Amino acid sequence: MEYALITGGSRGIGRSACLELALMGYPVIINYASNESAALRTKQLIEDKGGTAVLLPFDVASDHETEKALEQWKSDHPDDYIAVLVNNAGIRKDNVMVFMEDDQWHDVLNISLNGFFNVTRRLLKDMISKRFGRIINIVSLSGIKGLPGQTNYSASKAGVIGATKALAQELASRRITVNAIAPGFIATDMTQGLDQDALKQTIPARRFGQPEEVAALIGFLASEKAAYITGEVISINGGLYT
């Protein structure tokens, strides 16, 4: 059986991605680091719609935790494999560079960039042997344009964008696609605390995006219809930056 794994799947874009892929028929693996109640809520939402979901808690920034969790899942599912991977886990710790602390830099890069590496490399052998896979990396407008106060976040997402383009070329002949989605301002926990009224005036669409809109794009990239799209970074930002 082909499964879908969504890192940071308990809330926001991750939760919407879990629901979208479940509706496509994938049994969904919901990864989270600490918020079990939110992950259980996501699981319940999927099951209420007739889908299948399991929880798989681990910190993507920890190579040891990632290896242990994925090896245990594989041991429990010897005849199955993870065919769709959505690398969504990420955090913000904004600050201008001159005042940025070591942990603000390293924590953001460890989750977004190292987390992409820790998870993705452990799933590639099965995708290659099955000659099918979909890897979808959630990056950001910040990784394309750069945003002041987000040097750490911009660096982490720009790193994943470069990795997306390189990995896509390594895997294309194996029928595995690797793409990135770069959201602008999306109404999630990550954007709470921002001055939304002021920011909406900078967006041509005059609104924040919804997680379900990003999830719809994830669903398309995971589908057979997107088999000839790889190495791309697709923006979804209401026209904020093109």
Side-chain angles (χ1 to χ4, degrees):
M1 186 172 291
E2 296 179 351
Y3 278 72
L5 167 62
I6 299 87
T7 68
S10 64
R11 295 177 295 171
I13 291 172
R15 171 178 286 176
S16 293
C18 288
L19 287 163
E20 181 75 19
L21 292 168
L23 289 174
M24 291 172 64
Y26 283 102
V28 168
I29 304 168
I30 305 166
N31 162 258
Y32 65 98
S34 59
N35 195 336
E36 184 179 29
S37 62
L40 286 168
R41 175 60 179 157
T42 302
K43 183 176 184 290
Q44 186 64 56
L45 289 170
I46 290 169
E47 292 173 345
D48 287 347
K49 293 181 179 294
T52 301
V54 296
L55 304 186
L56 191 65
F58 63 90
D59 180 1
V60 299
S62 168
D63 187 56
H64 173 71
E65 280 191 35
T66 302
E67 180 178 40
K68 182 178 178 181
L70 292 177
E71 284 188 350
Q72 184 61 56
W73 184 87
K74 187 62 180 175
S75 176
D76 294 339
H77 299 81
D79 299 323
D80 306 323
Y81 85 108
I82 295 169
V84 176
L85 168 62
V86 181
N87 285 303
N88 171 70
I91 60 168
R92 283 176 41 221
K93 288 192 173 183
D94 296 352
N95 206 344
V96 293
M97 176 69 94
V98 68
F99 297 126
M100 188 169 288
E101 300 290 340
D102 288 355
D103 68 302
Q104 292 177 312
W105 177 267
H106 291 296
D107 288 353
V108 170
L109 266 76
N110 281 341
I111 291 176
S112 288
L113 186 55
N114 292 346
F116 155 81
F117 173 71
N118 291 339
V119 177
T120 306
R121 65 168 173 158
R122 291 190 165 85
L123 305 184
L124 291 181
K125 287 184 179 179
D126 277 347
M127 289 184 183
I128 290 169
S129 67
K130 301 291 186 181
R131 295 188 66 80
F132 178 83
R134 295 286 187 267
I135 299 169
I136 302 162
N137 301 317
I138 307 303
V139 291
S140 172
L141 166 69
S142 186
I144 300 173
K145 178 182 181 291
L147 291 174
Q150 288 193 338
T151 306
N152 51 358
Y153 193 69
S154 295
S156 69
K157 296 302 187 181
V160 176
I161 287 171
T164 297
K165 292 176 178 292
L167 186 59
Q169 295 175 67
E170 293 180 12
L171 299 174
S173 65
R174 303 296 199 273
R175 298 180 62 244
I176 301 166
T177 65
V178 188
N179 291 290
I181 296 173
F185 292 108
I186 307 297
T188 69
D189 292 350
M190 288 277 281
T191 56
Q192 285 183 354
L194 300 179
D195 187 344
Q196 294 197 19
D197 290 337
L199 288 170
K200 286 175 184 177
Q201 299 309 306
T202 70
I203 304 170
R206 292 293 187 267
R207 68 176 179 88
F208 277 26
Q210 295 299 312
E212 294 79 11
E213 294 175 300
V214 181
L217 181 53
I218 292 170
F220 173 69
L221 290 176
S223 74
E224 287 285 1
K225 293 179 180 179
Y228 202 55
I229 301 172
T230 195
E232 292 301 312
V233 182
I234 303 174
S235 294
I236 178 165
N237 58 34
L240 178 60
Y241 181 81
T242 58

